[in-house]
Structure formats: C-alpha cells, structure tokens
Amino acid sequence: MTSTPQLALILRNGLLLMLFLAAVNRTGLPEGLFLALAILVVLEADLGGGVIAGRERMLGSLMGLLTVVITSGVSALIPIPAKVFGGFLMVRLFSFSAGLSSGYIVGGHVVAGSLLNHPDDWWYYAFWRTVMTILGVFIGVLLSRHVYSQRTVSTWRRRCDSWIEDLAEGLGNLKARPDHERHYLELRERRNALRRALPQMIAEQSVTGNRLDDVQWAQETLQHGSSVMSCCRDLSMLLGLNQRLPPELAESINDLQTIGQQRLHQLCSGRPPSAKATSLDALQQRLQQVVEKHLLQLNVETGHSEATIEPASSSRQRQLLACRLLLLSDALGQLPTRERMQ
Amino acid sequence: MALRSPSAAQIRNALQVGFAGFLAGGLFLFAGTDATRVDAFYLAYGVARSLLPTPEASLKAARARVIGTVFGGFVVVLLLQSVSNWLAVGIGYVLIKLVGRRLGFDQATLTNAVIMAVLLVAVPDYQAMGGLYVLYRSLWHLAGLMIGMAIERLFWFTPLLKRLQHSESDLIQRLDDLLGEGPAQRHQELIKAYAAHCTLRTLVLSSDQAHKLTTPDSQERQEWLEQAVRHGVALQRVPKELEAIDSEGCGEALHQLKSCGGSA
C-alpha cells in the first residue's frame, strides 16, 4: 500500500473510533467500550483480515461468556485460584474445539475480567461485553466494506502480478542466471506469502457475496504458477550444465520461453490472448514430439553428431529435462486468465 | 461452525494456561483487597495472552503488549494535557500510528497502543489515574506474561532444535508415505509443511544453536531434504507416465538424507 492510502486509512479509522467512542458514551450503552474496541479490531486490517479478526473476537468472547457462566455459576465457595484454573482451562478447550486460532486470548480476558475485576456483577459484565463485541464486529465489517474499503483481493492481485512478472523474467533467462538458486528461493517465499493470504480472500468473499471465482482463480494461479516456478528452477540447473542440445530441441525450448513469457505478461495485464499466445497449443504438440524424439527414446544415439545430447549427460538428466519441459508447457497452458476475475 | 476434538498438544496447552491462571489467582488473593485498587486483575490478562502455539509467538506477543501499552499510554497521557477527551482518541490514534511506524513498531504493538489510548479516554477512572494507570497496567501485564512464559518452559517444553528435528521427521514420514503409496496427500500440504520447516530453521539459525546447523553435514542434510521435497511435490504434478523420474529422485534424496550425519 502506498503512503497516501495508508494515511487515508489511518485518518478513517481515527475518525470512526472517535465518533463511536463519543456515541457509546453519550448513549450510555452498557460496556459500550467493547463495541468501539471490536470495531477497531475489524478496521485495523483489510476487509478479509478484518472479517477473520472479528470472527475470532466474537467467538472468543462467546466462549469466554460460556466459561464464566459455568465457573461462576457452579459455586461461590470455590476459591478464586481454582476458578481461574477451571476458567482458563475451559476457555482454551472450548476455543480449540471451535477452531479458533487467537480468539482464546479475548475469551481469557472475558474470564479474567469477570472473575477478578467484576466478581459481584460478572453476569452483567460478561454478557454485555459479549453483546457489544458482537455488535461491534458487525458494525466494523459493515464500515470496512462500505467506507474507503480496503479489499484483500486487490492487494493479493497486485502482489500476484508482481510475482508472475518475475516468473516471466526467470523464464526468459533460464541459462543466463548465475544467482538462480537465490532468485527462486525468493520467489518461493513470495509464493508462500500469497498462499498464506488465501484464507483472508475466502473470508472476504463470505461477506461481499461475490461468486467464488476470485478464490478459485487465485488457487489455480498459485498451483500452476508454482509448477512454472519449480520447472524454471530445475531447467536453470539442467540447461546450465553446458550440454549441447539438438537444434530442433533448442529451438523448441526458445519458443517455449518466448511464448511462455508472453502468456505470463498477458495474464498480468489482463489483455486478451494475442495470436502468438494462442499458439501455445501448437507449441505443446511440437514440444511433445521433439522431447520424445530426443530425450525420452531409450535408443538415443550418443556421440554421432551435434544433433544428439553429449554422452556425459546421464539418462536421468535427459529424462528430468524432458519431464520439466513438458510440465512447464502444461502449467503455462493451464494458468487461468484474468477474465474470470470479478 | 464445525466442532473438533482438541489435539494432545492443545490439551497440554489448556492445562498449562489453567495452571498459570491458578498461580495468578493465588497471587491476586495474596495481594489482598488493595490489589483491586492497583488493577492487579491485569495479572490474569497477561496469563491469558501468553502460552501461544510457540514460545516465540508468546514472547513476541508479550513484547507487543508491554511496549504497546507503555507507548500508547505515553502518547495519550501527554495529549490529554492539552486536548479534551474524544478528540484525544482520534488525534492519539493518528499519532500512535504515524510515530509508531516511524519508530519501527509492528502492527500488534500499535494495536495494543491504540487499545491503551481507548481505555484511557473512555474510562473516567483510568483517565483520572493517568500515568499511574499506564504503570499498573503495564507492570501487572508483564508479571502475568512472565508467569505464563515460565510455565511454558517448565512443562512439556520442547527446545527449538528438537522441534526442527520433529519437523524434519514429519516431512520424511510424509515423503515415505508418498513413495509407499501411503495416505494420499496433496502437494499443497507438503509445500505448507516444508515452508513451516524452513521458518523453524531460520529461527534456529538466529538462535544460540545456529552452530549446529552450519556444519557441512547439517547443510548437506538440508540440501537432500530440499531435493526430496522438490521431487515429492513434482511427483504429484507430472503426468503419470513421467512419475518414475521424480519417484526415483525423491527416493534417492531420502536415502542420502537418512544416511547423512549432522543435525536437522
């Protein structure tokens, strides 16, 4: 995010927080402070992240309320340390059962606040805190969706485009990369970061009501983009072994690089496929034949002419080269186009 | 919302946090009636915030809570000297975010700072206490977080290097299953498990155990693991007739890995 939208976002959140705190104070809502805090938690992230944070806070508070009812309701004679033991134990177990990944913290706060800070009015405190939290989460999601909305999908798309652009650059320089290992490790890290952001996209779609195409597109892009990435990494190593390739095979690899690059650039720009990009199907067929002829046939003649692979290259390397070339062309063909995105 | 049974690790975690809460409750009782006056209940808040999935996450969260609370409190207490309350929240929020980012604080620290600002402005009692409230809240939280982290290290504690070794064994098992036509796996899960392994390895490399991973044997071990995982992932992507190449590659890398010395 550039600095201007970040500042605008900070100003939005500051203003909304101020207005809601003033409003809950003026209306005298019971435990209204927690309404403002829940709104804040949702607004701090983008829409998808806010939905997840809000859900964790809401369910965590509910688990906390349930625990407080059990621990405080059982008997007033149980000493405080035993109550806290039971309360903390239960709130974590309930939260884990509900699949929460951080909501147990706020659940623990509901328990701690009720048992230690509000032992005489625990029901009022725990109940209204939970109600205000739920209300705050709903208001927060509504605001996050409609007031200067920051969509996970937009950020994800930008980062994905940059990743694909760098994949295209890697594909174009298969032989000429002395630092290829570091380059591909860095690309892998970026792929992992994109993968980690998928739950936010799914959460965002659950409130925007869009069709699930965005998530499916993202998953398919990651899947086939990952194949392109790992093939390029292996091919960089294999083609860097100074083996002399038959001209027919070398030409097909060059074509695959050129057409593959065009396809990747076209995916980022969202332009319709050009005439060259659509020739990927034809290239795939030609590559299959060339690979079968020069790399996969067991009776490859060695040492006859320049049109064969050097004897030093092992059979396994030939097969691996064949495998990665075919997988690369297949993955390039399967990468989904942007037209499916909303 | 589908309910699931907690894992053994989660049950252990719940017992740990329960015991830490028991100690915090005992300390709260021991402090007597004065404890409420100095907000000692935040001791239990600190415990509830500790004992996260990993000790590193607990430490990070503890740092973010304490530093955020002090930072947010400092900004808003100063601001309240000159601005009336509701305006102080808005201005305080903007100041905390802008100054905090400049100081290099992470998102969690800044969120804790803002929560502190909200509490100071929204609760008249806290506002009246001003800097003293910031002090009490920070110190009790610190004490609670320390109890939690002490319990984390006393019971069922697994050192970082051991966790890395477990993670490596888990990956080897997954790859063995894959080659032995064991339970079907999706390559995404293998990628995810290996990414978690690499993160753990980075943590060990930045710890005092780093020397155990920088030996030639250990580095060779990591290279074979990387090879095995790459072939394992590719094995699930390539056409069926070409599977043998990656299957052999994965098997050989695993064989080399298992015969390698050094630490995971």
Side-chain angles (χ1 to χ4, degrees):
Chain A
M1 206 185 294
T2 57
S3 59
T4 313
Q6 252 184 8
L7 183 63
L9 202 61
I10 290 171
L11 290 175
R12 176 197 79 172
N13 291 354
L15 187 68
L16 288 172
L17 184 64
M18 191 173 70
L19 289 175
F20 273 92
L21 264 180
V24 295
N25 183 60
R26 196 139 184 97
T27 52
L29 284 174
E31 303 298 338
L33 165 71
F34 293 103
L35 181 132
L37 284 179
I39 293 175
L40 176 74
V41 165
V42 175
L43 291 178
E44 284 279 272
D46 55 21
L47 181 55
V51 171
I52 291 180
R55 191 166 56 200
E56 290 279 335
R57 196 168 180 90
M58 201 165 74
L59 291 176
S61 297
L62 279 169
M63 297 302 149
L65 175 65
L66 176 65
T67 305
V68 171
V69 169
I70 295 170
T71 46
S72 293
V74 170
S75 168
L77 297 173
I78 299 174
I80 291 266
K83 277 188 178 177
V84 179
F85 172 81
F88 278 7
L89 176 81
M90 271 189 277
V91 80
R92 287 259 167 149
L93 288 179
F94 291 160
S95 301
F96 291 142
S97 299
L100 299 188
S101 57
S102 65
Y104 48 74
I105 295 176
V106 82
H109 287 174
V110 173
V111 174
S114 304
L115 298 180
L116 300 183
N117 197 31
H118 298 272
D120 302 325
D121 59 342
W122 59 266
W123 169 251
Y124 180 88
Y125 170 78
F127 175 75
W128 283 112
R129 178 180 169 149
T130 306
V131 170
M132 287 301 136
T133 298
I134 294 170
L135 196 60
V137 168
F138 280 115
I139 295 173
V141 171
L142 206 67
L143 291 170
S144 182
R145 192 179 163 188
H146 295 292
V147 182
Y148 192 61
S149 187
Q150 302 297 306
R151 300 295 168 100
T152 309
V153 70
S154 312
T155 318
W156 198 94
R157 202 184 306 172
R158 269 199 306 275
R159 285 164 56 201
C160 184
D161 283 350
S162 154
W163 180 64
I164 290 178
E165 287 286 354
D166 287 349
L167 275 185
E169 198 248 319
L171 177 61
N173 296 301
L174 284 180
K175 288 184 198 167
R177 269 212 105 91
D179 63 332
H180 78 274
E181 272 300 301
R182 208 182 53 201
H183 174 73
Y184 286 110
L185 286 178
E186 193 246 329
L187 280 178
R188 189 169 73 183
E189 281 305 308
R190 284 163 62 192
R191 187 274 316 270
N192 290 344
L194 286 168
R195 191 180 289 282
R196 282 195 295 273
L198 281 179
Q200 280 94 303
M201 274 182 88
I202 295 168
E204 183 172 282
Q205 290 221 327
S206 69
V207 294
T208 52
N210 280 350
R211 287 181 297 136
L212 285 173
D213 279 4
D214 284 358
V215 175
Q216 203 182 338
W217 171 83
Q219 285 170 333
E220 285 176 15
T221 302
L222 276 186
Q223 183 187 336
H224 301 299
S226 296
S227 294
V228 171
M229 180 181 70
S230 53
C231 287
C232 287
R233 187 178 172 188
D234 287 339
L235 288 172
S236 273
M237 188 265 292
L238 291 165
L239 296 175
L241 293 175
N242 292 327
Q243 54 187 10
R244 278 182 300 158
L245 299 171
E248 198 182 7
L249 180 61
E251 192 190 332
S252 294
I253 294 176
N254 274 339
D255 287 351
L256 182 64
Q257 284 180 273
T258 312
I259 292 176
Q261 269 192 307
Q262 284 167 353
R263 171 130 181 89
L264 292 172
H265 289 312
Q266 176 250 321
L267 284 176
C268 295
S269 64
R271 287 194 305 267
S274 63
K276 273 192 175 177
T278 49
S279 65
L280 186 62
D281 286 344
L283 174 66
Q284 277 175 336
Q285 284 175 3
R286 183 154 55 90
L287 189 70
Q288 177 87 33
Q289 288 164 359
V290 172
V291 159
E292 276 177 14
K293 181 178 166 191
H294 292 286
L295 297 172
L296 289 177
Q297 277 179 9
L298 293 176
N299 57 349
V300 172
E301 292 176 26
T302 55
H304 268 246
S305 68
E306 285 186 4
T308 54
I309 291 177
E310 298 236 306
S313 63
S314 71
S315 150
R316 181 178 294 176
Q317 273 176 0
R318 283 202 312 273
Q319 289 180 335
L320 194 59
L321 182 59
C323 179
R324 293 305 181 255
L325 286 172
L326 294 179
L327 182 59
L328 175 61
S329 72
D330 181 59
L332 284 168
Q334 297 219 37
L335 273 165
T337 55
R338 180 62 62 74
E339 291 147 32
R340 289 174 51 185
M341 287 280 281
Q342 291 292 306
Chain B
M1 183 176 66
L3 293 181
R4 60 191 86 168
S5 303
S7 67
Q10 287 176 329
I11 293 172
R12 285 199 293 270
N13 176 272
L15 283 167
Q16 283 177 314
V17 82
F19 185 59
F22 177 81
L23 293 181
L27 208 62
F28 180 80
L29 269 191
F30 181 74
T33 46
D34 282 348
T36 312
R37 197 171 50 78
V38 292
D39 298 319
F41 63 93
Y42 282 127
L43 191 61
Y45 272 60
V47 169
R49 189 166 283 272
S50 65
L51 288 145
L52 302 183
T54 62
E56 297 76 41
S58 300
L59 186 63
K60 198 174 167 198
R63 220 180 267 160
R65 186 65 161 185
V66 175
I67 296 175
T69 302
V70 173
F71 174 62
F74 176 76
V75 171
V76 176
V77 166
L78 277 185
L79 205 62
L80 282 171
Q81 309 293 319
S82 51
V83 186
S84 71
N85 56 11
W86 305 119
L87 216 50
V89 172
I91 298 173
Y93 180 89
V94 175
L95 274 180
I96 285 168
K97 288 284 176 176
L98 294 182
V99 178
R101 279 190 187 158
R102 184 118 324 187
L103 292 174
F105 293 147
D106 61 12
Q107 180 66 25
T109 307
L110 296 180
T111 302
N112 283 311
V114 174
I115 289 173
M116 180 74 232
V118 171
L119 286 170
L120 264 177
V121 176
V123 183
D125 289 351
Y126 296 160
Q127 196 178 128
M129 287 165 78
L132 213 52
Y133 172 68
V134 180
L135 185 73
Y136 291 153
R137 184 176 157 93
S138 306
L139 290 180
W140 286 118
H141 259 100
L142 183 63
L145 289 160
M146 285 173 76
I147 290 174
M149 287 189 286
I151 296 297
E152 195 170 43
R153 275 158 181 76
L154 279 175
F155 302 101
W156 299 298
F157 180 66
T158 314
L160 200 49
L161 193 62
K162 199 89 187 150
R163 274 165 43 213
L164 185 69
Q165 285 161 353
H166 288 167
S167 160
E168 189 195 79
S169 305
D170 173 58
L171 277 167
I172 291 174
Q173 186 59 52
R174 280 170 188 265
L175 291 164
D176 275 336
D177 287 348
L178 189 68
L179 293 178
E181 294 180 11
Q185 323 189 15
R186 291 185 307 150
H187 54 85
Q188 285 96 334
E189 281 162 24
L190 194 56
I191 290 172
K192 199 174 155 192
Y194 187 62
H197 179 82
C198 290
T199 307
L200 211 50
R201 191 175 159 83
T202 310
L203 283 175
V204 180
L205 281 171
S206 59
S207 75
D208 57 356
Q209 304 282 301
H211 62 278
K212 292 189 176 165
L213 297 189
T214 48
T215 63
D217 273 353
S218 182
Q219 282 175 344
E220 193 187 349
R221 210 181 161 82
Q222 172 60 21
E223 279 164 24
W224 284 120
L225 180 64
E226 167 107 12
Q227 284 285 334
V229 170
R230 284 172 63 188
H231 280 297
V233 171
L235 177 59
Q236 298 169 78
R237 288 178 177 157
V238 293
K240 212 136 188 79
E241 60 273 16
L242 293 173
E243 275 180 3
I245 300 161
D246 282 298
S247 179
E248 273 176 35
C250 183
E252 192 191 317
L254 275 180
H255 175 72
Q256 297 284 357
L257 170 64
K258 284 171 187 171
S259 60
C260 235
S263 183

